[in-house]
Amino acid sequence: MLDDRITVHWRADGPPTPVATIPVGALPAAEPSKEALEDLAALLTSIPPDVHLVLVTTTDDGEVTLLFDEHGQLPQPPAPWTLADDGVDGPVGWRATIGDAGPERSVGLPLLVTLGRTHTPTTLLANIAAMGTLGIDGPEPAARRCLHAATAEVATSRIAVPVEVVVAGDRRLATFDGVRHTDNLAGEIDLALEEIDQDIVPDDRTPRLLVCHPDTTPPEVPDELRGQVGAVTATNPPAAPWLLEVDDQHTGRLRLPDGGTVELTLPDLDPTLIDSELDRLDQHPAGTRPQPTAAQPPAAPTPSPNGQVKPDRRRVTDPAWCDVKVLGPIKVVRNGTPVDGLGRRTLEVLAYLATNRERGVTKGELDNAIWHGHAAKPHSQRV
Protein backbone atom coordinates (compact mmCIF):
# COMPACT_ATOMS: atom_id res chain seq x y z
CA MET A 1 0.00 0.00 0.00
CA LEU A 2 2.27 2.73 1.30
CA ASP A 3 5.57 0.93 1.67
CA ASP A 4 7.42 -0.45 -1.32
CA ARG A 5 9.85 -2.68 0.54
CA ILE A 6 9.51 -5.77 2.69
CA THR A 7 12.14 -6.67 5.28
CA VAL A 8 12.27 -10.37 6.12
CA HIS A 9 13.64 -11.43 9.53
CA TRP A 10 15.07 -14.70 10.78
CA ARG A 11 14.14 -15.60 14.32
CA ALA A 12 17.16 -16.61 16.40
CA ASP A 13 18.28 -16.56 20.03
CA GLY A 14 18.57 -12.79 19.98
CA PRO A 15 16.87 -9.82 18.42
CA PRO A 16 15.54 -10.25 14.87
CA THR A 17 18.21 -9.75 12.23
CA PRO A 18 17.19 -8.42 8.82
CA VAL A 19 18.42 -10.79 6.12
CA ALA A 20 16.62 -9.64 3.00
CA THR A 21 14.96 -6.48 1.78
CA ILE A 22 13.13 -6.78 -1.52
CA PRO A 23 11.25 -4.16 -3.55
CA VAL A 24 7.69 -5.27 -4.20
CA GLY A 25 5.67 -2.33 -5.52
CA ALA A 26 5.95 0.68 -7.77
CA LEU A 27 2.77 2.66 -7.20
CA PRO A 28 3.40 6.39 -6.74
CA ALA A 29 1.64 6.03 -3.38
CA ALA A 30 4.14 3.35 -2.43
CA GLU A 31 7.05 5.77 -2.23
CA PRO A 32 6.16 8.25 0.50
CA SER A 33 8.58 10.10 2.68
CA LYS A 34 8.71 9.40 6.38
CA GLU A 35 6.89 12.68 6.98
CA ALA A 36 4.12 11.73 4.52
CA LEU A 37 3.57 8.43 6.28
CA GLU A 38 3.39 10.12 9.67
CA ASP A 39 0.95 12.71 8.30
CA LEU A 40 -1.23 10.01 6.75
CA ALA A 41 -1.21 7.99 9.97
CA ALA A 42 -2.31 11.08 11.92
CA LEU A 43 -5.07 11.69 9.40
CA LEU A 44 -6.38 8.13 9.52
CA THR A 45 -6.40 8.04 13.32
CA SER A 46 -8.78 11.01 13.32
CA ILE A 47 -11.54 8.75 11.96
CA PRO A 48 -14.01 7.86 14.74
CA PRO A 49 -13.86 4.14 15.63
CA ASP A 50 -17.57 3.58 14.96
CA VAL A 51 -17.36 4.92 11.39
CA HIS A 52 -16.85 2.21 8.76
CA LEU A 53 -15.81 3.53 5.36
CA VAL A 54 -15.20 0.99 2.60
CA LEU A 55 -12.95 2.79 0.10
CA VAL A 56 -10.17 5.36 0.28
CA THR A 57 -8.88 7.36 -2.68
CA THR A 58 -5.69 9.41 -2.67
CA THR A 59 -4.51 11.83 -5.32
CA ASP A 60 -0.92 12.62 -6.13
CA ASP A 61 -1.28 16.06 -4.52
CA GLY A 62 -2.32 14.56 -1.17
CA GLU A 63 -6.12 14.77 -1.25
CA VAL A 64 -7.70 11.85 0.63
CA THR A 65 -11.37 10.92 0.17
CA LEU A 66 -13.25 8.38 2.29
CA LEU A 67 -16.19 6.63 0.59
CA PHE A 68 -18.94 4.85 2.51
CA ASP A 69 -21.29 1.99 1.68
CA GLU A 70 -24.19 3.83 0.07
CA HIS A 71 -26.69 1.57 1.83
CA GLY A 72 -25.81 3.25 5.12
CA GLN A 73 -26.37 6.82 6.24
CA LEU A 74 -23.50 9.21 5.61
CA PRO A 75 -22.32 10.43 9.04
CA GLN A 76 -21.34 14.04 9.62
CA PRO A 77 -17.55 14.48 9.40
CA PRO A 78 -15.48 15.60 12.39
CA ALA A 79 -12.49 17.91 11.96
CA PRO A 80 -10.36 17.88 9.89
CA TRP A 81 -12.74 16.07 7.49
CA THR A 82 -15.31 17.85 5.33
CA LEU A 83 -18.11 16.48 3.15
CA ALA A 84 -16.93 15.34 -0.28
CA ASP A 85 -19.35 16.28 -3.08
CA ASP A 86 -18.97 14.60 -6.47
CA GLY A 87 -21.09 17.28 -8.21
CA VAL A 88 -23.73 14.78 -9.35
CA ASP A 89 -25.01 12.78 -6.40
CA GLY A 90 -24.14 15.36 -3.77
CA PRO A 91 -22.13 14.38 -0.67
CA VAL A 92 -20.63 10.91 -1.14
CA GLY A 93 -18.02 10.80 1.62
CA TRP A 94 -15.42 12.76 3.56
CA ARG A 95 -12.39 14.64 2.29
CA ALA A 96 -9.18 15.94 3.84
CA THR A 97 -5.57 16.61 2.85
CA ILE A 98 -2.51 14.73 4.04
CA GLY A 99 -0.99 16.97 6.69
CA ASP A 100 -4.35 17.79 8.26
CA ALA A 101 -4.85 16.40 11.74
CA GLY A 102 -7.67 16.20 14.25
CA PRO A 103 -8.25 14.64 17.66
CA GLU A 104 -6.93 11.09 17.81
CA ARG A 105 -9.98 8.88 18.12
CA SER A 106 -9.08 5.43 16.83
CA VAL A 107 -6.30 3.16 15.59
CA GLY A 108 -6.87 4.16 11.99
CA LEU A 109 -7.51 1.59 9.27
CA PRO A 110 -5.29 -1.43 9.97
CA LEU A 111 -6.79 -3.62 7.20
CA LEU A 112 -6.31 -1.14 4.35
CA VAL A 113 -5.24 -2.80 1.08
CA THR A 114 -4.20 -1.19 -2.21
CA LEU A 115 -6.38 -2.16 -5.18
CA GLY A 116 -4.73 -0.07 -7.90
CA ARG A 117 -4.84 3.16 -9.89
CA THR A 118 -7.82 4.62 -11.73
CA HIS A 119 -7.68 6.65 -14.97
CA THR A 120 -8.27 9.90 -13.01
CA PRO A 121 -5.53 9.19 -11.75
CA THR A 122 -6.06 8.30 -8.12
CA THR A 123 -4.93 5.41 -5.96
CA LEU A 124 -7.82 3.25 -4.75
CA LEU A 125 -7.59 1.39 -1.43
CA ALA A 126 -10.08 -0.96 0.22
CA ASN A 127 -10.89 -1.12 3.92
CA ILE A 128 -11.39 -4.89 4.14
CA ALA A 129 -12.55 -4.63 7.76
CA ALA A 130 -15.62 -2.65 6.64
CA MET A 131 -16.30 -4.72 3.52
CA GLY A 132 -16.44 -7.94 5.52
CA THR A 133 -15.31 -9.97 2.50
CA LEU A 134 -13.52 -8.98 -0.70
CA GLY A 135 -13.59 -11.61 -3.43
CA ILE A 136 -10.77 -12.06 -5.94
CA ASP A 137 -11.82 -13.50 -9.32
CA GLY A 138 -9.49 -14.35 -12.17
CA PRO A 139 -6.78 -16.78 -13.30
CA GLU A 140 -5.39 -18.61 -10.29
CA PRO A 141 -1.79 -17.30 -10.60
CA ALA A 142 -3.04 -13.70 -10.77
CA ALA A 143 -5.51 -14.25 -7.91
CA ARG A 144 -2.83 -15.81 -5.70
CA ARG A 145 -0.51 -12.91 -6.46
CA CYS A 146 -3.20 -10.50 -5.24
CA LEU A 147 -3.63 -12.55 -2.06
CA HIS A 148 0.14 -12.60 -1.46
CA ALA A 149 0.28 -8.84 -2.00
CA ALA A 150 -2.55 -8.21 0.49
CA THR A 151 -0.88 -10.50 3.03
CA ALA A 152 2.50 -8.76 2.77
CA GLU A 153 0.99 -5.27 2.68
CA VAL A 154 -1.06 -5.59 5.85
CA ALA A 155 1.61 -7.55 7.75
CA THR A 156 4.35 -5.00 6.98
CA SER A 157 2.39 -1.74 6.98
CA ARG A 158 4.22 1.06 8.80
CA ILE A 159 1.01 2.95 9.60
CA ALA A 160 -1.11 0.11 11.06
CA VAL A 161 -1.43 -1.07 14.64
CA PRO A 162 -0.18 -4.61 15.35
CA VAL A 163 -2.41 -6.92 13.31
CA GLU A 164 -2.65 -10.62 12.56
CA VAL A 165 -2.86 -11.93 9.02
CA VAL A 166 -4.21 -15.47 9.07
CA VAL A 167 -3.70 -17.46 5.87
CA ALA A 168 -5.44 -20.66 4.73
CA GLY A 169 -4.56 -22.72 1.66
CA ASP A 170 -1.01 -21.41 1.13
CA ARG A 171 2.12 -21.99 3.20
CA ARG A 172 4.19 -19.05 2.03
CA LEU A 173 5.12 -15.85 3.87
CA ALA A 174 5.49 -17.79 7.13
CA THR A 175 8.50 -15.71 8.17
CA PHE A 176 6.63 -12.42 8.15
CA ASP A 177 5.82 -11.06 11.60
CA GLY A 178 2.07 -11.09 12.10
CA VAL A 179 1.40 -13.86 9.56
CA ARG A 180 -0.02 -17.18 10.76
CA HIS A 181 -1.30 -20.21 8.87
CA THR A 182 -4.38 -22.16 9.82
CA ASP A 183 -6.76 -24.84 8.59
CA ASN A 184 -9.61 -23.40 10.65
CA LEU A 185 -10.59 -19.88 9.62
CA ALA A 186 -13.94 -20.25 11.38
CA GLY A 187 -11.97 -20.60 14.62
CA GLU A 188 -10.45 -17.17 14.00
CA ILE A 189 -13.95 -15.70 13.92
CA ASP A 190 -14.64 -17.39 17.26
CA LEU A 191 -11.48 -15.87 18.76
CA ALA A 192 -12.52 -12.40 17.65
CA LEU A 193 -16.02 -12.89 19.09
CA GLU A 194 -14.48 -14.02 22.40
CA GLU A 195 -12.73 -10.65 22.69
CA ILE A 196 -16.16 -9.01 22.58
CA ASP A 197 -17.54 -11.47 25.17
CA GLN A 198 -14.59 -10.62 27.46
CA ASP A 199 -15.47 -6.90 27.19
CA ILE A 200 -12.07 -6.06 25.70
CA VAL A 201 -12.26 -2.51 24.39
CA PRO A 202 -11.91 -2.12 20.59
CA ASP A 203 -8.49 -0.42 20.82
CA ASP A 204 -7.10 -3.50 22.61
CA ARG A 205 -8.56 -6.08 20.23
CA THR A 206 -6.43 -7.59 17.48
CA PRO A 207 -7.53 -6.69 13.95
CA ARG A 208 -7.43 -9.77 11.71
CA LEU A 209 -7.15 -10.15 7.96
CA LEU A 210 -8.26 -13.65 6.90
CA VAL A 211 -6.69 -14.67 3.58
CA CYS A 212 -8.45 -17.55 1.82
CA HIS A 213 -6.57 -19.11 -1.10
CA PRO A 214 -8.30 -21.29 -3.72
CA ASP A 215 -9.92 -24.51 -2.45
CA THR A 216 -10.41 -23.17 1.09
CA THR A 217 -13.74 -22.30 2.70
CA PRO A 218 -14.04 -18.60 3.54
CA PRO A 219 -15.73 -17.88 6.88
CA GLU A 220 -18.76 -15.66 7.24
CA VAL A 221 -17.75 -12.42 8.97
CA PRO A 222 -20.61 -11.37 11.32
CA ASP A 223 -21.71 -7.74 11.53
CA GLU A 224 -20.52 -7.39 15.14
CA LEU A 225 -16.92 -7.81 13.92
CA ARG A 226 -17.20 -5.00 11.41
CA GLY A 227 -14.14 -2.80 11.62
CA GLN A 228 -12.03 -5.51 13.28
CA VAL A 229 -12.06 -8.54 10.98
CA GLY A 230 -12.14 -8.86 7.20
CA ALA A 231 -11.57 -11.63 4.67
CA VAL A 232 -10.10 -11.61 1.20
CA THR A 233 -10.87 -14.79 -0.72
CA ALA A 234 -10.36 -16.45 -4.10
CA THR A 235 -12.89 -19.20 -3.28
CA ASN A 236 -16.38 -18.73 -4.76
CA PRO A 237 -15.66 -14.99 -5.20
CA PRO A 238 -18.87 -14.12 -7.14
CA ALA A 239 -20.81 -14.61 -3.88
CA ALA A 240 -18.94 -11.68 -2.29
CA PRO A 241 -20.69 -8.28 -2.52
CA TRP A 242 -17.33 -6.64 -3.24
CA LEU A 243 -15.41 -8.30 -6.07
CA LEU A 244 -11.98 -7.57 -7.56
CA GLU A 245 -11.78 -9.08 -11.04
CA VAL A 246 -8.21 -9.53 -12.28
CA ASP A 247 -7.49 -10.14 -15.95
CA ASP A 248 -3.76 -10.64 -15.42
CA GLN A 249 -1.07 -9.09 -13.24
CA HIS A 250 -1.64 -5.64 -14.75
CA THR A 251 -5.36 -4.92 -15.21
CA GLY A 252 -8.60 -5.52 -13.38
CA ARG A 253 -11.74 -3.87 -12.04
CA LEU A 254 -13.58 -3.50 -8.77
CA ARG A 255 -17.25 -4.49 -8.97
CA LEU A 256 -19.39 -2.59 -6.49
CA PRO A 257 -22.44 -4.01 -4.69
CA ASP A 258 -24.74 -1.70 -6.72
CA GLY A 259 -23.45 -3.16 -10.00
CA GLY A 260 -21.03 -0.35 -10.85
CA THR A 261 -17.41 -0.98 -11.80
CA VAL A 262 -14.11 0.85 -11.37
CA GLU A 263 -11.42 0.03 -13.95
CA LEU A 264 -7.98 -0.35 -12.38
CA THR A 265 -4.33 -0.64 -13.21
CA LEU A 266 -3.14 -3.10 -10.59
CA PRO A 267 -0.08 -2.40 -8.41
CA ASP A 268 3.03 -2.99 -10.47
CA LEU A 269 4.34 -5.90 -8.47
CA ASP A 270 7.50 -7.60 -9.69
CA PRO A 271 6.55 -11.30 -9.72
CA THR A 272 10.14 -12.38 -10.32
CA LEU A 273 11.41 -10.73 -7.14
CA ILE A 274 8.46 -11.90 -5.06
CA ASP A 275 8.49 -15.48 -6.31
CA SER A 276 12.26 -15.85 -5.98
CA GLU A 277 12.17 -14.55 -2.40
CA LEU A 278 9.23 -16.79 -1.49
CA ASP A 279 11.00 -19.78 -3.04
CA ARG A 280 14.10 -18.98 -0.98
CA LEU A 281 12.00 -18.88 2.17
CA ASP A 282 10.37 -22.19 1.25
CA GLN A 283 13.79 -23.87 1.29
CA HIS A 284 13.92 -23.23 5.05
CA PRO A 285 10.45 -23.79 6.54
CA ALA A 286 9.71 -22.13 9.86
CA GLY A 287 11.62 -23.81 12.65
CA THR A 288 14.27 -25.35 10.37
CA ARG A 289 16.29 -22.33 9.32
CA PRO A 290 20.01 -22.29 10.08
CA GLN A 291 20.77 -20.77 13.45
CA PRO A 292 23.73 -18.47 13.97
CA THR A 293 26.73 -20.04 15.67
CA ALA A 294 27.27 -18.65 19.15
CA ALA A 295 30.75 -17.41 19.94
CA GLN A 296 30.58 -18.94 23.42
CA PRO A 297 28.22 -21.49 24.93
CA PRO A 298 25.67 -20.00 27.34
CA ALA A 299 26.58 -20.17 31.00
CA ALA A 300 24.86 -22.86 33.08
CA PRO A 301 21.92 -21.65 35.23
CA THR A 302 22.91 -20.79 38.78
CA PRO A 303 21.01 -22.51 41.64
CA SER A 304 19.35 -20.12 44.07
CA PRO A 305 19.76 -20.48 47.87
CA ASN A 306 16.59 -22.59 48.07
CA GLY A 307 17.94 -25.01 45.48
CA GLN A 308 15.73 -23.88 42.60
CA VAL A 309 17.37 -23.09 39.29
CA LYS A 310 16.63 -19.64 37.97
CA PRO A 311 17.14 -18.67 34.33
CA ASP A 312 20.21 -16.55 33.74
CA ARG A 313 18.97 -13.02 33.05
CA ARG A 314 20.63 -10.97 30.34
CA ARG A 315 23.39 -8.83 31.84
CA VAL A 316 22.73 -5.10 31.83
CA THR A 317 26.28 -4.58 30.59
CA ASP A 318 25.58 -6.50 27.37
CA PRO A 319 25.58 -4.22 24.31
CA ALA A 320 22.04 -2.97 23.65
CA TRP A 321 20.57 -3.93 20.27
CA CYS A 322 18.27 -0.93 20.48
CA ASP A 323 17.69 2.14 22.65
CA VAL A 324 14.23 3.03 23.98
CA LYS A 325 13.89 6.69 24.90
CA VAL A 326 11.10 7.06 27.47
CA LEU A 327 11.41 10.74 28.40
CA GLY A 328 8.91 12.67 26.33
CA PRO A 329 7.47 10.85 23.30
CA ILE A 330 8.66 7.24 23.29
CA LYS A 331 11.31 6.68 20.61
CA VAL A 332 13.09 3.49 19.56
CA VAL A 333 16.54 3.71 17.94
CA ARG A 334 18.34 0.70 16.46
CA ASN A 335 21.98 1.04 15.44
CA GLY A 336 21.55 4.81 15.40
CA THR A 337 18.48 4.71 13.13
CA PRO A 338 14.99 5.59 14.45
CA VAL A 339 12.50 2.74 14.15
CA ASP A 340 9.26 4.17 12.77
CA GLY A 341 5.77 2.76 12.43
CA LEU A 342 5.51 0.99 15.79
CA GLY A 343 2.00 0.79 17.20
CA ARG A 344 0.91 2.27 20.51
CA ARG A 345 0.77 -1.13 22.24
CA THR A 346 4.22 -2.11 20.97
CA LEU A 347 5.70 1.15 22.27
CA GLU A 348 4.09 0.55 25.67
CA VAL A 349 5.65 -2.92 25.86
CA LEU A 350 9.10 -1.63 24.87
CA ALA A 351 8.91 1.24 27.35
CA TYR A 352 7.95 -1.13 30.17
CA LEU A 353 10.77 -3.52 29.32
CA ALA A 354 13.28 -0.67 29.08
CA THR A 355 12.35 0.81 32.44
CA ASN A 356 12.63 -2.59 34.11
CA ARG A 357 15.75 -3.78 32.34
CA GLU A 358 17.92 -4.32 35.38
CA ARG A 359 15.58 -6.65 37.27
CA GLY A 360 14.00 -8.32 34.22
CA VAL A 361 10.30 -8.86 33.58
CA THR A 362 8.23 -12.02 33.56
CA LYS A 363 5.49 -12.68 31.01
CA GLY A 364 2.88 -12.44 33.78
CA GLU A 365 4.14 -9.05 34.90
CA LEU A 366 4.03 -7.81 31.33
CA ASP A 367 0.48 -9.11 30.92
CA ASN A 368 -0.65 -7.32 34.07
CA ALA A 369 1.12 -4.07 33.26
CA ILE A 370 0.09 -3.74 29.62
CA TRP A 371 -3.19 -5.65 29.38
CA HIS A 372 -4.39 -5.03 32.97
CA GLY A 373 -4.76 -8.72 33.71
CA HIS A 374 -7.02 -9.53 30.75
CA ALA A 375 -6.32 -13.09 29.63
CA ALA A 376 -4.83 -13.56 26.19
CA LYS A 377 -7.01 -15.27 23.62
CA PRO A 378 -6.23 -18.97 22.94
CA HIS A 379 -3.35 -19.63 20.53
CA SER A 380 -2.48 -15.94 20.44
CA GLN A 381 1.03 -14.47 20.06
CA ARG A 382 0.44 -11.41 22.18
CA VAL A 383 3.81 -11.43 23.93
Side-chain angles (χ1 to χ4, degrees), residues 11 162-166 174 176-181 188 191 206 208 363 367 371 376-383:
R11 296 186 180 281
V163 298
E164 285 189 346
V165 183
V166 186
F176 281 51
D177 287 342
V179 174
R180 292 192 292 109
H181 294 83
E188 300 299 322
L191 290 177
T206 304
R208 291 177 176 82
K363 179 179 180 297
D367 272 330
W371 287 275
K377 54 189 176 296
H379 311 296
S380 70
Q381 303 180 59
R382 188 166 73 180
V383 178

Side-chain angles (χ1 to χ4, degrees), residues 108-128:
L109 303 175
L111 303 188
L112 201 60
V113 171
T114 303
L115 299 183
R117 291 275 279 182
T118 70
H119 68 281
T120 312
T122 60
T123 300
L124 182 66
L125 307 106
N127 181 18
I128 308 298

Side-chain angles (χ1 to χ4, degrees), residues 3 74 229 238 240 256 343:
D3 193 355
L74 179 63
V229 177
L256 310 176

Side-chain angles (χ1 to χ4, degrees), residues 148-191:
H148 285 148
T151 299
E153 179 175 24
V154 173
T156 63
S157 173
R158 291 185 288 167
I159 66 169
V161 298
V163 298
E164 285 189 346
V165 183
V166 186
V167 181
D170 187 275
R171 301 303 300 177
R172 291 180 167 179
L173 295 176
T175 57
F176 281 51
D177 287 342
V179 174
R180 292 192 292 109
H181 294 83
T182 185
D183 297 322
N184 181 21
L185 285 173
E188 300 299 322
I189 297 293
D190 293 337
L191 290 177

Side-chain angles (χ1 to χ4, degrees), residues 134-149:
L134 172 65
I136 309 292
D137 190 20
E140 184 171 318
R144 284 191 183 272
R145 184 169 290 118
C146 288
L147 295 174
H148 285 148

Side-chain angles (χ1 to χ4, degrees), residues 267-282:
D268 187 16
L269 304 176
D270 187 332
T272 304
L273 286 170
I274 293 176
D275 291 343
S276 63
E277 180 62 13
L278 292 175
D279 288 342
R280 186 190 69 78
L281 295 174
D282 284 345

Side-chain angles (χ1 to χ4, degrees), residues 20 25 27 49 62 67-68 93 96 104 151 171 184 198 203 216 225-226 233 250 254 268 280 303 350 354 362 373:
L27 280 177
L67 302 175
F68 296 80
E104 185 173 315
T151 299
R171 301 303 300 177
N184 181 21
Q198 295 172 6
D203 281 1
T216 60
L225 294 180
R226 193 178 188 194
T233 175
H250 301 294
L254 176 66
D268 187 16
R280 186 190 69 78
L350 291 174
T362 67

